[in-house]
Amino acid sequence: MTLKHFITVQDFSKEELLDLINLTLLIKEADIQGCTPKLLEGASLAMIFEEPSTRTRVSFEVGMAELGGYALYLKPGEIHLGVRETLADTARVLSRMCDAIFLRALKHETMVEMAKYATVPVINGLTDYNHPTQVVCDVTTMIEHMPENKALEELNVVFVGDATNVLSSVMFICTKLGMNFTHAAPQAYQPSAAWRGIAEANCAESGGTLTITEDVSAAVANADFLYTDLWWWVGQEDEIPERRAAFMPTYQVNMELLSKAPKHCKVMHCLPASRGVEATDEVLDSPQSIIFDQAENRLHAEKGILAWLLYPRMPSPSEALKTYYKGQIEAFLNQM
Ligand code: CP
């Protein structure tokens, strides 16, 4: 069986991504009915975190348990990753013991290296480049909150703020799926030429559109979804005054900016949010905000991703074979 990792949405076709999103919606429906199937009975997921996490950690850990599997939380500094042991050896060892490896890495190169040496699926739980599991949840949430009479390909998704790792993944998945994606930010905080090139190539294939602009008022005028993210992250503390000056007040998602968008426009944020910085409390807690539906959907999307990657790899021995081995092992133990 071909080994499938989940490192970037760019590795998948529009059809594959839509299959994954539809699987997520079906798994959510089953969950609401209390009927989540134990698709991954006995499977294990090694979860390595080089950075803290609330949503990603909890959603993968609970998701594995709900599917009948088990997740091991390996916190920063707890294993020999790249210290006293090469990353390649860690990948090889974990592949012998676990059915999949999850990694939240500081550097995207670490993710690529892990995937190079792992012989089980590797799942990217955020790097400095992208956040692909987040955006499966995001598009699922958009589908649940789509304006009436609009198709997915007609949606206008507007991302306001810094060109973060989340921006790259939202931009890539929206353009892959043929949606209209706009990024509004000061020029210095707009995506690199490389990122734009990927999104433009997606649009050429899917029929989607890409707009990068400094004009935030024009950008939000037709927004169905208005998405924002943090203006700075760990390691960018020295840049806070300069970043705040660049974004505030023009690019803050506040009631004044939201009033320039259509009334049906929904506000999204991957969270954690710096309330009062990139978005105000008034907006984040408004009826137009779907940030907690979005957060909940992390759980359903992770189950979709886990089932999609791991279910086809699950062994399916016959009942007779299981009975044979149980009998053999019990007989051995009983004669010891
Ligand atoms: N959105 C997200 O990845 O949140 P965590 O950092 O809490 O996992």
mmCIF file of all heavy atoms in Angstrom, residues 14 18 21 138-139 142-143 146 151-157 170-171 173-182 203 206-210 225:
data_model
loop_
_atom_site.group_PDB
_atom_site.id
_atom_site.type_symbol
_atom_site.label_atom_id
_atom_site.label_comp_id
_atom_site.label_asym_id
_atom_site.label_seq_id
_atom_site.Cartn_x
_atom_site.Cartn_y
_atom_site.Cartn_z
ATOM 1 N N LYS A 14 -8.160 18.369 -5.787
ATOM 2 C CA LYS A 14 -9.431 18.951 -5.334
ATOM 3 C C LYS A 14 -10.395 17.834 -4.912
ATOM 4 O O LYS A 14 -11.030 17.916 -3.860
ATOM 5 C CB LYS A 14 -10.042 19.784 -6.471
ATOM 6 C CG LYS A 14 -11.414 20.321 -6.163
ATOM 7 C CD LYS A 14 -11.963 21.167 -7.300
ATOM 8 C CE LYS A 14 -13.379 21.658 -6.960
ATOM 9 N NZ LYS A 14 -13.938 22.551 -7.982
ATOM 10 N N LEU A 18 -12.008 17.248 -1.219
ATOM 11 C CA LEU A 18 -13.469 17.256 -1.018
ATOM 12 C C LEU A 18 -13.935 15.944 -0.393
ATOM 13 O O LEU A 18 -14.821 15.937 0.462
ATOM 14 C CB LEU A 18 -14.197 17.526 -2.339
ATOM 15 C CG LEU A 18 -14.087 18.970 -2.854
ATOM 16 C CD1 LEU A 18 -14.751 19.101 -4.225
ATOM 17 C CD2 LEU A 18 -14.693 19.969 -1.868
ATOM 18 N N ILE A 21 -13.194 16.251 3.266
ATOM 19 C CA ILE A 21 -14.142 17.161 3.935
ATOM 20 C C ILE A 21 -15.505 16.480 4.078
ATOM 21 O O ILE A 21 -16.145 16.567 5.134
ATOM 22 C CB ILE A 21 -14.218 18.494 3.149
ATOM 23 C CG1 ILE A 21 -12.892 19.255 3.314
ATOM 24 C CG2 ILE A 21 -15.411 19.341 3.605
ATOM 25 C CD1 ILE A 21 -12.654 20.324 2.279
ATOM 26 N N ASP A 138 -11.414 24.270 8.601
ATOM 27 C CA ASP A 138 -11.924 25.592 8.193
ATOM 28 C C ASP A 138 -12.906 25.477 7.019
ATOM 29 O O ASP A 138 -13.975 26.093 7.034
ATOM 30 C CB ASP A 138 -10.762 26.512 7.802
ATOM 31 C CG ASP A 138 -9.871 26.856 8.984
ATOM 32 O OD1 ASP A 138 -10.313 26.651 10.137
ATOM 33 O OD2 ASP A 138 -8.742 27.314 8.768
ATOM 34 N N VAL A 139 -12.544 24.705 6.002
ATOM 35 C CA VAL A 139 -13.447 24.597 4.849
ATOM 36 C C VAL A 139 -14.710 23.829 5.251
ATOM 37 O O VAL A 139 -15.816 24.160 4.813
ATOM 38 C CB VAL A 139 -12.745 23.959 3.630
ATOM 39 C CG1 VAL A 139 -13.730 23.782 2.483
ATOM 40 C CG2 VAL A 139 -11.579 24.834 3.174
ATOM 41 N N MET A 142 -16.848 26.387 6.768
ATOM 42 C CA MET A 142 -17.417 27.273 5.735
ATOM 43 C C MET A 142 -18.612 26.590 5.059
ATOM 44 O O MET A 142 -19.641 27.212 4.826
ATOM 45 C CB MET A 142 -16.358 27.617 4.683
ATOM 46 C CG MET A 142 -15.279 28.561 5.182
ATOM 47 S SD MET A 142 -14.001 28.786 3.912
ATOM 48 C CE MET A 142 -12.657 29.438 4.883
ATOM 49 N N ILE A 143 -18.467 25.300 4.757
ATOM 50 C CA ILE A 143 -19.563 24.574 4.093
ATOM 51 C C ILE A 143 -20.807 24.574 4.992
ATOM 52 O O ILE A 143 -21.931 24.762 4.523
ATOM 53 C CB ILE A 143 -19.111 23.146 3.713
ATOM 54 C CG1 ILE A 143 -18.113 23.222 2.557
ATOM 55 C CG2 ILE A 143 -20.304 22.248 3.361
ATOM 56 C CD1 ILE A 143 -17.428 21.920 2.197
ATOM 57 N N MET A 146 -22.341 28.204 4.746
ATOM 58 C CA MET A 146 -22.376 28.848 3.417
ATOM 59 C C MET A 146 -23.641 29.669 3.252
ATOM 60 O O MET A 146 -24.697 29.233 3.688
ATOM 61 C CB MET A 146 -22.349 27.793 2.318
ATOM 62 C CG MET A 146 -20.981 27.323 2.055
ATOM 63 S SD MET A 146 -20.650 26.535 0.492
ATOM 64 C CE MET A 146 -22.060 25.838 -0.119
ATOM 65 N N ALA A 151 -22.537 28.269 -4.378
ATOM 66 C CA ALA A 151 -21.750 27.035 -4.439
ATOM 67 C C ALA A 151 -20.391 27.300 -3.792
ATOM 68 O O ALA A 151 -19.985 28.466 -3.638
ATOM 69 C CB ALA A 151 -21.557 26.633 -5.900
ATOM 70 N N LEU A 152 -19.697 26.223 -3.454
ATOM 71 C CA LEU A 152 -18.372 26.363 -2.824
ATOM 72 C C LEU A 152 -17.464 27.256 -3.663
ATOM 73 O O LEU A 152 -16.760 28.130 -3.150
ATOM 74 C CB LEU A 152 -17.754 24.965 -2.651
ATOM 75 C CG LEU A 152 -16.427 24.898 -1.914
ATOM 76 C CD1 LEU A 152 -16.605 25.183 -0.430
ATOM 77 C CD2 LEU A 152 -15.772 23.530 -2.100
ATOM 78 N N GLU A 153 -17.502 27.037 -4.975
ATOM 79 C CA GLU A 153 -16.616 27.774 -5.890
ATOM 80 C C GLU A 153 -16.976 29.257 -5.986
ATOM 81 O O GLU A 153 -16.206 30.047 -6.548
ATOM 82 C CB GLU A 153 -16.651 27.154 -7.291
ATOM 83 C CG GLU A 153 -16.014 25.774 -7.406
ATOM 84 C CD GLU A 153 -16.931 24.640 -6.957
ATOM 85 O OE1 GLU A 153 -18.068 24.922 -6.534
ATOM 86 O OE2 GLU A 153 -16.495 23.469 -7.006
ATOM 87 N N GLU A 154 -18.134 29.635 -5.466
ATOM 88 C CA GLU A 154 -18.545 31.048 -5.525
ATOM 89 C C GLU A 154 -18.213 31.802 -4.237
ATOM 90 O O GLU A 154 -18.435 33.011 -4.153
ATOM 91 C CB GLU A 154 -20.060 31.136 -5.782
ATOM 92 C CG GLU A 154 -20.464 30.625 -7.156
ATOM 93 C CD GLU A 154 -21.966 30.471 -7.304
ATOM 94 O OE1 GLU A 154 -22.639 30.047 -6.345
ATOM 95 O OE2 GLU A 154 -22.469 30.773 -8.395
ATOM 96 N N LEU A 155 -17.681 31.088 -3.258
ATOM 97 C CA LEU A 155 -17.428 31.740 -1.962
ATOM 98 C C LEU A 155 -16.253 32.706 -2.052
ATOM 99 O O LEU A 155 -15.241 32.421 -2.708
ATOM 100 C CB LEU A 155 -17.141 30.697 -0.888
ATOM 101 C CG LEU A 155 -18.297 29.769 -0.508
ATOM 102 C CD1 LEU A 155 -17.875 28.809 0.597
ATOM 103 C CD2 LEU A 155 -19.529 30.561 -0.076
ATOM 104 N N ASN A 156 -16.398 33.827 -1.348
ATOM 105 C CA ASN A 156 -15.323 34.819 -1.246
ATOM 106 C C ASN A 156 -14.747 34.752 0.165
ATOM 107 O O ASN A 156 -15.435 35.090 1.133
ATOM 108 C CB ASN A 156 -15.867 36.222 -1.510
ATOM 109 C CG ASN A 156 -16.436 36.346 -2.906
ATOM 110 O OD1 ASN A 156 -15.847 35.862 -3.874
ATOM 111 N ND2 ASN A 156 -17.600 36.960 -3.020
ATOM 112 N N VAL A 157 -13.511 34.287 0.254
ATOM 113 C CA VAL A 157 -12.841 34.161 1.542
ATOM 114 C C VAL A 157 -11.793 35.263 1.630
ATOM 115 O O VAL A 157 -10.910 35.359 0.765
ATOM 116 C CB VAL A 157 -12.179 32.766 1.688
ATOM 117 C CG1 VAL A 157 -11.433 32.659 3.003
ATOM 118 C CG2 VAL A 157 -13.228 31.664 1.558
ATOM 119 N N VAL A 170 -4.729 28.340 4.312
ATOM 120 C CA VAL A 170 -6.079 28.770 3.896
ATOM 121 C C VAL A 170 -6.029 29.163 2.414
ATOM 122 O O VAL A 170 -6.902 28.788 1.624
ATOM 123 C CB VAL A 170 -6.596 29.955 4.753
ATOM 124 C CG1 VAL A 170 -7.995 30.363 4.298
ATOM 125 C CG2 VAL A 170 -6.630 29.614 6.223
ATOM 126 N N MET A 171 -4.992 29.904 2.053
ATOM 127 C CA MET A 171 -4.846 30.354 0.657
ATOM 128 C C MET A 171 -4.709 29.151 -0.284
ATOM 129 O O MET A 171 -5.343 29.115 -1.350
ATOM 130 C CB MET A 171 -3.613 31.271 0.560
ATOM 131 C CG MET A 171 -3.307 31.783 -0.828
ATOM 132 S SD MET A 171 -2.084 33.109 -0.798
ATOM 133 C CE MET A 171 -0.583 32.213 -0.476
ATOM 134 N N ILE A 173 -5.664 25.942 0.200
ATOM 135 C CA ILE A 173 -6.848 25.052 0.072
ATOM 136 C C ILE A 173 -7.964 25.777 -0.677
ATOM 137 O O ILE A 173 -8.639 25.178 -1.519
ATOM 138 C CB ILE A 173 -7.318 24.485 1.439
ATOM 139 C CG1 ILE A 173 -8.214 23.260 1.189
ATOM 140 C CG2 ILE A 173 -8.054 25.502 2.285
ATOM 141 C CD1 ILE A 173 -8.470 22.387 2.405
ATOM 142 N N CYS A 174 -8.152 27.067 -0.410
ATOM 143 C CA CYS A 174 -9.240 27.793 -1.108
ATOM 144 C C CYS A 174 -8.964 27.842 -2.615
ATOM 145 O O CYS A 174 -9.876 27.609 -3.419
ATOM 146 C CB CYS A 174 -9.385 29.212 -0.560
ATOM 147 S SG CYS A 174 -10.104 29.261 1.088
ATOM 148 N N THR A 175 -7.738 28.120 -2.995
ATOM 149 C CA THR A 175 -7.443 28.206 -4.428
ATOM 150 C C THR A 175 -7.461 26.817 -5.072
ATOM 151 O O THR A 175 -7.858 26.669 -6.223
ATOM 152 C CB THR A 175 -6.102 28.924 -4.682
ATOM 153 O OG1 THR A 175 -5.071 28.299 -3.905
ATOM 154 C CG2 THR A 175 -6.189 30.399 -4.332
ATOM 155 N N LYS A 176 -7.074 25.781 -4.318
ATOM 156 C CA LYS A 176 -7.173 24.398 -4.833
ATOM 157 C C LYS A 176 -8.621 24.037 -5.133
ATOM 158 O O LYS A 176 -8.916 23.338 -6.095
ATOM 159 C CB LYS A 176 -6.679 23.412 -3.760
ATOM 160 C CG LYS A 176 -5.254 23.038 -3.848
ATOM 161 C CD LYS A 176 -5.106 21.629 -4.392
ATOM 162 C CE LYS A 176 -3.675 21.429 -4.825
ATOM 163 N NZ LYS A 176 -3.489 20.277 -5.658
ATOM 164 N N LEU A 177 -9.517 24.505 -4.262
ATOM 165 C CA LEU A 177 -10.928 24.125 -4.379
ATOM 166 C C LEU A 177 -11.703 25.043 -5.318
ATOM 167 O O LEU A 177 -12.910 24.901 -5.459
ATOM 168 C CB LEU A 177 -11.582 24.109 -2.985
ATOM 169 C CG LEU A 177 -11.024 23.056 -2.014
ATOM 170 C CD1 LEU A 177 -11.693 23.154 -0.648
ATOM 171 C CD2 LEU A 177 -11.182 21.638 -2.570
ATOM 172 N N GLY A 178 -11.013 25.999 -5.947
ATOM 173 C CA GLY A 178 -11.675 26.857 -6.934
ATOM 174 C C GLY A 178 -12.445 28.012 -6.325
ATOM 175 O O GLY A 178 -13.339 28.584 -6.959
ATOM 176 N N MET A 179 -12.097 28.390 -5.086
ATOM 177 C CA MET A 179 -12.792 29.495 -4.406
ATOM 178 C C MET A 179 -12.085 30.819 -4.716
ATOM 179 O O MET A 179 -11.002 30.838 -5.312
ATOM 180 C CB MET A 179 -12.808 29.221 -2.892
ATOM 181 C CG MET A 179 -13.569 27.950 -2.540
ATOM 182 S SD MET A 179 -13.068 27.185 -0.991
ATOM 183 C CE MET A 179 -13.885 28.226 0.191
ATOM 184 N N ASN A 180 -12.715 31.919 -4.295
ATOM 185 C CA ASN A 180 -12.128 33.250 -4.504
ATOM 186 C C ASN A 180 -11.451 33.670 -3.207
ATOM 187 O O ASN A 180 -12.128 33.860 -2.185
ATOM 188 C CB ASN A 180 -13.222 34.249 -4.884
ATOM 189 C CG ASN A 180 -13.982 33.768 -6.104
ATOM 190 O OD1 ASN A 180 -13.383 33.501 -7.147
ATOM 191 N ND2 ASN A 180 -15.288 33.614 -5.968
ATOM 192 N N PHE A 181 -10.138 33.804 -3.254
ATOM 193 C CA PHE A 181 -9.384 34.093 -2.039
ATOM 194 C C PHE A 181 -8.710 35.461 -2.137
ATOM 195 O O PHE A 181 -8.038 35.770 -3.134
ATOM 196 C CB PHE A 181 -8.321 33.016 -1.790
ATOM 197 C CG PHE A 181 -7.548 33.269 -0.529
ATOM 198 C CD1 PHE A 181 -8.087 32.902 0.696
ATOM 199 C CD2 PHE A 181 -6.326 33.917 -0.551
ATOM 200 C CE1 PHE A 181 -7.410 33.167 1.878
ATOM 201 C CE2 PHE A 181 -5.636 34.189 0.618
ATOM 202 C CZ PHE A 181 -6.178 33.810 1.836
ATOM 203 N N THR A 182 -8.893 36.262 -1.086
ATOM 204 C CA THR A 182 -8.270 37.584 -1.026
ATOM 205 C C THR A 182 -7.468 37.706 0.264
ATOM 206 O O THR A 182 -7.961 37.288 1.329
ATOM 207 C CB THR A 182 -9.357 38.693 -1.046
ATOM 208 O OG1 THR A 182 -10.098 38.560 -2.249
ATOM 209 C CG2 THR A 182 -8.753 40.083 -0.969
ATOM 210 N N CYS A 203 -5.092 28.295 -8.911
ATOM 211 C CA CYS A 203 -6.212 29.002 -9.569
ATOM 212 C C CYS A 203 -6.276 28.639 -11.056
ATOM 213 O O CYS A 203 -7.370 28.432 -11.596
ATOM 214 C CB CYS A 203 -6.057 30.516 -9.429
ATOM 215 S SG CYS A 203 -6.319 31.093 -7.756
ATOM 216 N N SER A 206 -7.932 25.299 -11.076
ATOM 217 C CA SER A 206 -9.263 25.128 -10.457
ATOM 218 C C SER A 206 -10.289 26.149 -10.900
ATOM 219 O O SER A 206 -11.479 25.973 -10.663
ATOM 220 C CB SER A 206 -9.128 25.229 -8.933
ATOM 221 O OG SER A 206 -8.809 26.571 -8.559
ATOM 222 N N GLY A 207 -9.825 27.280 -11.479
ATOM 223 C CA GLY A 207 -10.753 28.354 -11.821
ATOM 224 C C GLY A 207 -10.993 29.312 -10.669
ATOM 225 O O GLY A 207 -11.807 30.234 -10.779
ATOM 226 N N GLY A 208 -10.292 29.116 -9.551
ATOM 227 C CA GLY A 208 -10.403 30.046 -8.424
ATOM 228 C C GLY A 208 -9.707 31.365 -8.732
ATOM 229 O O GLY A 208 -9.074 31.510 -9.782
ATOM 230 N N THR A 209 -9.835 32.313 -7.805
ATOM 231 C CA THR A 209 -9.155 33.598 -8.014
ATOM 232 C C THR A 209 -8.321 33.948 -6.778
ATOM 233 O O THR A 209 -8.647 33.543 -5.657
ATOM 234 C CB THR A 209 -10.146 34.745 -8.286
ATOM 235 O OG1 THR A 209 -10.938 34.963 -7.104
ATOM 236 C CG2 THR A 209 -11.046 34.449 -9.479
ATOM 237 N N LEU A 210 -7.270 34.724 -7.020
ATOM 238 C CA LEU A 210 -6.376 35.170 -5.942
ATOM 239 C C LEU A 210 -6.213 36.678 -6.046
ATOM 240 O O LEU A 210 -5.869 37.197 -7.116
ATOM 241 C CB LEU A 210 -5.005 34.497 -6.085
ATOM 242 C CG LEU A 210 -3.934 34.972 -5.096
ATOM 243 C CD1 LEU A 210 -4.252 34.496 -3.672
ATOM 244 C CD2 LEU A 210 -2.552 34.472 -5.511
ATOM 245 N N PHE A 225 -16.691 35.098 4.115
ATOM 246 C CA PHE A 225 -15.973 34.710 5.325
ATOM 247 C C PHE A 225 -14.788 35.659 5.500
ATOM 248 O O PHE A 225 -14.030 35.899 4.551
ATOM 249 C CB PHE A 225 -15.475 33.262 5.236
ATOM 250 C CG PHE A 225 -16.611 32.277 5.173
ATOM 251 C CD1 PHE A 225 -17.063 31.802 3.945
ATOM 252 C CD2 PHE A 225 -17.260 31.869 6.327
ATOM 253 C CE1 PHE A 225 -18.136 30.923 3.872
ATOM 254 C CE2 PHE A 225 -18.338 30.990 6.259
ATOM 255 C CZ PHE A 225 -18.778 30.519 5.039
#
